[in-house]
Amino acid sequence: MGHPPLEFSDCYLDSPDFRERLKCYEQELERTNKFIKDVIKDGNALISAMRNYSSAVQKFSQTLQSFQFDFIGDTLTDDEINIAESFKEFAELLNEVENERMMMVHNASDLLIKPLENFRKEQIGFTKERKKKFEKDGERFYSLLDRHLHLSSKKKESQLQEADLQVDKERHNFFESSLDYVYQIQEVQESKKFNIVEPVLAFLHSLFISNSLTVELTQDFLPYKQQLQLSLQNTRNHFSSTREEMEELKKRMKEAPQTCKLPGQPTIEGYLYTQEKWALGISWVKYYCQYEKETKTLTMTPMEQKPGAKQQGPLDLTLKYCVRRKTESIDKRFCFDIETNERPGTITLQALSEANRRLWMEAMDGKEPIYHSPITKQEEMELNEVGFKFVRKCINVIETKGIKTEGLYRTVGSNIQVQKLLNAFFDPKCPGDVDFHNSDWDIKTITSSLKFYLRNLSEPVMTYRLHKELVSAAKSDNLDYRLGAIHSLIYKLPEKNREMLELLIRHLVNVCEHSKENLMTPSNMGVIFGPTLMRAQEDTVAAMMNIKFQNIVVEILIEHFVKIYSGPPEESTAPPVPPPRVTARRHKPITISKRLLRERTVFYTSSLDESEGDSDSFSKVRPPGEKPTIIRPPVRPPDPPCRATTTQKPEPKQDIVASNAGEIPSSVVASRTRFFETASRKTGRRSVVSSYKTVAELPQARLQKTSYPLT
């Protein structure tokens, strides 16, 4: 329930009821003062927490931006480029969000803390000073009145008149202090309604604007997120494909290390111990040796350098012959002798094991060469008529019965069933005599058999000869060159290889047309058939790292099947020359930080004077790429609509409605100020006060005139 009004006439009566009502006002004033202190304290804590949070986010973004991905290989795929740039994009996005938040935090003190602090100190503090003066004058007046009433009537007339004048003077001072105090305490009581709420409203307005900008950035982020997720999934698929090949290579390396020798490396290399004869005895020195059989060159690099001695470099020797050292002739195992043109006499070398000695002697054409048996290779398939028949039958069954099967070609069939189908179809006695529509052969078995046949051809469909050129074309930055080079290279394949490739790619295009049902996109088919249709001749880790580019070649063949197989390119003699590196990439990495920014309303203006003079500044937008500047915020929130009904043409997406006119104010400060100035000019303080006899009638005047007279 509200407080009863304090009438000015009660100041002259100074009744107990007046004092009791005044005491209620004072208690309310003290409660308001305590509330403002709590709001300021908690507001400062909130602003500090937002500042700390924003600083932590900016530190996090700096950490993201400082990291640089390192990749294996000499070229990145488009998806890997997107991933490599992702942390920088994340950092830019976080910085953009926090720049908006920091602008709000810097303005928060001017919006919330300072107005409340000014109201508490200037208005409430001034009221307390008036209270002290009221109490002091009242105490002086009533003390003087008590003494005056105790004066004897026998005093001289002049003394009594002087005493009366002094009492009247003190009474006048007391009543004047009482009127000022009552006026002031009621003014504060009424003005706190907007002086307290407006700063909080302005602060929330700024806070929600910052949050709405975050929502807009989130909407801008969604397309980038989807593209990046696609790049991550494609890269994960390439990784899975590469990992399987590398596991196979590691397995072969464990079984027969020497069969996996890298091209361009020496015939054999490894550690050997050399017998060194000195005046005081014999010592064995460790060397790392490399032998090239064609030139008969043995390079020996010493591994045990004595401290303080002159450092020795590699020693190149030309081999004359090699012979195994008899066991009884030396007290060491695994030894063999060599002679060279550069050093006189025999050089005795010690291998690391008996098997290692055999390998060295075999490479050096020793007198007892023992050849190791190579790893048994799986029986290889051939690209012949039976193979074409097998592929056509597989494709026919798949497109007839299972083209909509979810995970087609990705789901693996039983190895036993696959071997059973292949053995039956490629049986030399009756090749091709298999009914694929038999219930024994499900779709998984047929797709796995097709992949097995293609993977185990003696030479891949796209041949070893063109492998490096195809991978090089896929590594190009220029998308037009990629397509043109691959188009040209496809017509360099042997006729039967090109025919088989066209048959397979046409089938894969049909499969991808049903991607909504089987979930197999050109990218997924590239991951599956990249290692199947293309293989490097050498089994190396470097070759495995290029599998992702093999996948890209197959993906391009699927996506551009019509153009590639409509006929050979005009200049089929050689693939197009790649453009110089100075030209811009045709395929640019996905980005969000360089997007076209949304048109955003300028909510903060630098000053009131400038805003009133320019009514169009509210609709200004920040140009793309321009960073927001921290400027002085508005003191008050936007003005509410006028109570009077006015005919006004509606405007779409208008954030602020003017009170008395159909124009858009230049800022929220100008809007609020113009509202009060217009109301003051129409009514004025004196006209309102003079129209009403009591203070109790003033609220009704405020509702009718939409102005407050005690400001």
Side-chain angles (χ1 to χ4, degrees):
M1 187 172 178
H3 300 290
L6 297 172
E7 298 294 345
F8 291 145
S9 58
D10 291 339
C11 297
Y12 293 91
L13 298 176
D14 197 20
S15 64
D17 180 63
F18 169 74
R19 288 282 182 160
E20 189 64 29
R21 283 181 281 133
L22 187 60
K23 185 178 180 180
C24 293
Y25 276 77
E26 291 171 350
Q27 291 175 349
E28 175 63 22
L29 188 68
E30 190 60 35
R31 192 174 69 87
T32 302
N33 187 44
K34 184 178 182 302
F35 167 74
I36 293 175
K37 285 184 177 180
D38 292 340
V39 170
I40 292 174
K41 177 184 175 182
D42 295 339
N44 281 324
L46 175 60
I47 293 170
S48 177
M50 288 191 296
R51 183 180 290 109
N52 292 336
Y53 169 78
S54 185
S55 299
V57 172
Q58 288 178 338
K59 179 65 171 65
F60 177 69
S61 69
Q62 290 173 3
T63 303
L64 291 180
Q65 196 161 18
S66 64
F67 183 74
Q68 179 65 42
F69 277 103
D70 285 334
F71 291 85
I72 301 175
D74 57 349
T75 308
L76 303 181
T77 64
D78 296 331
D79 294 322
E80 288 174 339
I81 293 175
N82 293 336
I83 294 173
E85 297 294 327
S86 61
F87 280 169
K88 291 183 180 179
E89 296 294 329
F90 295 160
E92 289 290 337
L93 184 64
L94 290 175
N95 283 333
E96 188 171 350
V97 173
E98 293 314 310
N99 284 338
E100 302 283 356
R101 194 191 312 278
M102 284 303 294
M103 183 173 65
M104 185 270 294
V105 169
H106 282 293
N107 290 330
S109 179
D110 291 337
L111 286 173
L112 179 66
I113 305 301
K114 289 183 180 180
L116 292 177
E117 194 68 40
N118 291 338
F119 177 76
R120 192 182 71 84
K121 291 180 178 179
E122 295 175 2
Q123 298 296 323
I124 297 180
F126 182 66
T127 305
K128 288 184 176 181
E129 291 177 1
R130 287 290 176 90
K131 177 185 177 182
K132 291 179 181 178
K133 187 176 184 302
F134 166 73
E135 292 176 345
K136 184 178 180 181
D137 291 345
E139 184 179 354
R140 185 185 300 113
F141 167 67
Y142 284 111
S143 176
L144 181 62
L145 183 61
D146 287 342
R147 291 197 305 271
H148 181 68
L149 293 176
H150 285 82
L151 287 176
S152 174
S153 59
K154 297 178 181 181
K155 291 280 187 180
K156 294 180 180 181
E157 186 65 24
S158 61
Q159 291 179 342
L160 292 176
Q161 290 179 355
E162 183 180 354
D164 290 342
L165 289 174
Q166 189 174 2
V167 169
D168 290 341
K169 181 180 178 182
E170 291 298 331
R171 180 185 290 111
H172 177 76
N173 290 338
F174 170 63
F175 288 158
E176 186 176 355
S177 297
S178 179
L179 286 171
D180 290 340
Y181 180 43
V182 169
Y183 174 83
Q184 180 64 30
I185 199 169
Q186 289 192 112
E187 182 182 33
V188 172
Q189 185 69 19
E190 287 293 294
S191 65
K192 73 177 183 180
K193 297 173 185 177
F194 52 85
N195 280 328
I196 294 178
V197 175
E198 277 184 346
V200 178
L201 178 60
F203 175 71
L204 291 180
H205 178 69
S206 174
L207 182 63
F208 293 150
I209 286 175
S210 175
N211 291 339
S212 68
L213 295 178
T214 304
V215 172
E216 289 182 5
L217 289 174
T218 303
Q219 294 173 352
D220 292 342
F221 176 70
L222 289 178
Y224 174 80
K225 171 195 168 188
Q226 294 171 353
Q227 290 294 327
L228 185 59
Q229 284 179 326
L230 182 61
S231 294
L232 291 170
Q233 185 59 47
N234 290 340
T235 305
R236 181 180 284 110
N237 293 340
H238 293 324
F239 166 76
S240 300
S241 175
T242 303
R243 182 175 60 181
E244 293 175 0
E245 296 293 330
M246 291 185 67
E247 286 176 352
E248 289 294 328
L249 176 61
K250 183 177 70 172
K251 182 179 178 181
R252 293 196 299 271
M253 181 66 73
K254 286 181 178 179
E255 294 175 355
Q258 294 303 318
T259 61
C260 301
K261 186 178 75 69
L262 299 179
Q265 291 191 347
T267 306
I268 188 171
E269 56 184 323
Y271 290 101
L272 293 174
Y273 287 84
T274 303
Q275 185 185 60
E276 302 285 353
K277 297 180 180 180
W278 309 95
L280 300 179
I282 298 174
S283 63
W284 292 85
V285 182
K286 186 178 181 181
Y287 285 84
Y288 188 80
C289 300
Q290 298 173 302
Y291 179 69
E292 186 62 50
K293 189 171 184 178
E294 294 182 0
T295 60
K296 292 189 175 183
T297 302
L298 177 64
T299 303
M300 302 176 64
T301 305
M303 303 304 298
E304 298 176 356
Q305 302 282 0
K306 295 182 179 180
K310 184 178 180 181
Q311 299 296 317
Q312 298 181 8
L315 179 64
D316 292 331
L317 303 175
T318 304
L319 185 70
K320 292 172 63 176
Y321 74 90
C322 169
V323 63
R324 180 177 67 84
R325 186 70 176 263
K326 293 182 179 180
T327 306
E328 61 273 9
S329 65
I330 191 171
D331 191 22
K332 291 284 185 180
R333 304 172 65 195
F334 320 133
C335 293
F336 60 97
D337 295 335
I338 62 171
E339 281 194 13
T340 63
N341 296 330
E342 288 76 13
R343 293 178 60 174
T346 302
I347 301 175
T348 301
L349 303 175
Q350 183 184 26
L352 304 181
S353 65
E354 181 63 30
N356 186 241
R357 179 176 68 175
R358 292 175 182 174
L359 293 175
W360 278 99
M361 291 187 63
E362 176 188 352
M364 294 182 175
D365 294 328
K367 290 188 177 180
E368 296 182 5
I370 301 175
Y371 298 95
H372 68 283
S373 58
I375 182 173
T376 304
K377 296 183 68 176
Q378 199 165 14
E379 184 178 356
E380 295 176 336
M381 304 284 185
E382 295 295 335
L383 195 62
N384 50 24
E385 293 183 4
V386 179
F388 270 91
K389 183 178 180 181
F390 175 73
V391 172
R392 289 192 179 97
K393 278 198 169 186
C394 289
I395 291 176
N396 182 45
V397 174
I398 293 169
E399 294 188 353
T400 303
K401 296 172 55 179
I403 197 168
K404 295 183 179 181
T405 304
E406 184 175 332
L408 185 66
Y409 282 109
R410 185 178 287 277
T411 307
V412 182
S414 168
N415 286 333
I416 297 177
Q417 289 295 101
V418 169
Q419 291 297 329
K420 183 178 178 182
L421 175 59
L422 290 170
N423 291 336
F425 195 93
F426 290 97
D427 186 0
K429 297 180 180 178
C430 51
D433 188 15
V434 176
D435 182 11
F436 277 63
H437 293 277
N438 191 319
S439 59
D440 293 341
W441 318 121
D442 57 10
I443 294 298
K444 294 186 295 183
T445 301
I446 295 173
T447 56
S448 297
S449 300
L450 176 59
K451 291 188 293 184
F452 185 92
Y453 165 74
L454 295 172
R455 188 177 287 256
N456 287 275
L457 289 171
S458 57
E459 186 176 24
V461 174
M462 301 180 76
T463 71
Y464 292 131
R465 182 175 62 87
L466 297 178
H467 180 83
K468 290 184 178 179
E469 294 181 65
L470 287 166
V471 170
S472 177
K475 290 181 177 181
S476 174
D477 293 341
N478 189 289
L479 298 182
D480 292 335
Y481 171 73
R482 283 189 200 175
L483 177 59
I486 293 174
H487 188 183
S488 176
L489 291 170
I490 291 302
Y491 284 88
K492 288 188 173 184
L493 290 171
E495 185 176 352
K496 63 177 182 179
N497 294 63
R498 188 168 67 251
E499 182 182 352
M500 174 61 77
L501 183 63
E502 181 179 1
L503 180 66
L504 291 168
I505 299 300
R506 187 187 302 276
H507 167 62
L508 298 184
V509 170
N510 294 335
V511 172
C512 293
E513 287 178 353
H514 297 81
S515 60
K516 290 185 178 180
E517 293 86 5
N518 57 38
L519 306 181
M520 302 308 292
T521 63
S523 177
N524 294 336
M525 302 310 294
V527 171
I528 295 172
F529 281 89
T532 302
L533 301 177
M534 293 179 64
R535 290 198 310 274
Q537 193 162 9
E538 65 278 358
D539 287 334
T540 63
V541 174
M544 301 304 170
M545 290 301 168
N546 283 332
I547 289 179
K548 55 193 175 187
F549 296 104
Q550 299 173 195
N551 303 343
I552 291 175
V553 172
V554 176
E555 186 176 347
I556 290 174
L557 291 176
I558 296 174
E559 292 178 343
H560 301 278
F561 172 78
V562 175
K563 179 177 181 180
I564 292 176
Y565 284 97
S566 61
E570 295 179 0
E571 298 179 1
S572 58
T573 55
V577 178
R581 302 290 290 186
V582 294
T583 57
R585 284 179 56 87
R586 297 292 180 88
H587 188 286
K588 296 182 179 179
I590 58 175
T591 179
I592 183 174
S593 60
K594 298 178 182 179
R595 73 194 187 284
L596 183 63
L597 298 181
R598 295 170 179 261
E599 290 189 355
R600 296 176 181 169
T601 303
V602 178
F603 293 96
Y604 304 117
T605 53
S606 57
S607 66
L608 178 60
D609 297 335
E610 294 176 359
S611 62
E612 289 199 17
D614 184 9
S615 61
D616 297 331
S617 63
F618 186 82
S619 60
K620 290 180 180 178
V621 295
R622 192 175 67 203
E626 180 180 336
K627 297 295 183 181
T629 56
I630 299 174
I631 51 181
R632 191 179 187 279
V635 178
R636 292 170 176 163
D639 178 53
C642 180
R643 293 180 183 274
T645 58
T646 57
T647 58
Q648 189 172 357
K649 184 179 179 181
E651 294 182 7
K653 299 183 180 179
Q654 182 171 338
D655 296 330
I656 299 175
V657 180
S659 298
N660 300 319
E663 62 182 6
I664 299 177
S666 57
S667 73
V668 292
V669 182
S671 169
R672 193 63 174 172
T673 304
R674 188 173 303 164
F675 174 76
F676 285 108
E677 288 178 351
T678 305
S680 299
R681 284 195 298 268
K682 287 183 178 180
T683 58
R685 176 188 175 191
R686 291 184 180 179
S687 62
V688 176
V689 175
S690 62
S691 302
Y692 300 91
K693 296 179 180 180
T694 64
V695 179
E697 296 175 348
L698 287 178
Q700 283 73 25
R702 186 179 69 249
L703 291 177
Q704 295 172 8
K705 300 295 184 178
T706 65
S707 65
Y708 186 59
L710 299 178
T711 50

